[in-house]
Amino acid sequence: YSVALESAQHFVQEAYHAARDARVDPLLVLAVMSIESSFDPRAQSSQGAKGLMQVLARVHVDKFEPFGGAKAVFD
């Protein structure tokens, strides 16, 4: 992957934090990021999936409300 070192470090750090909170393996989170978006935080699919993990925000609107709504999918 063509990812700047600073970005890679940030993604790994955030993956570990999210994985700890969700009680999943952080390597699983990183693997999903790599397959779904190639570590491109602005990735968007033709079906509307967005972000590193290619989430369909329109399907999970209620989950994004505490974070400012569906536009938070890129955060």
Side-chain angles (χ1 to χ4, degrees):
Y1 302 98
S2 298
V3 179
L5 178 60
E6 186 176 299
S7 294
Q9 290 171 330
H10 176 73
F11 296 152
V12 169
Q13 181 181 22
E14 290 300 318
Y16 270 80
H17 287 271
R20 181 193 62 224
D21 293 346
R23 297 182 184 187
V24 298
D25 187 333
L27 296 179
L28 174 62
V29 175
L30 290 165
V32 171
M33 287 181 184
S34 71
I35 296 301
E36 294 296 327
S37 68
S38 298
F39 295 106
D40 177 0
R42 295 288 172 201
Q44 295 187 48
S45 76
S46 60
Q47 300 298 314
K50 298 177 182 178
L52 289 167
M53 306 229 352
Q54 291 293 282
V55 176
L56 286 169
R58 68 179 183 268
V59 176
H60 303 286
V61 174
D62 59 319
K63 305 254 185 332
F64 283 98
E65 285 185 23
F67 305 101
K71 60 185 163 218
V73 72
F74 289 114
D75 292 340

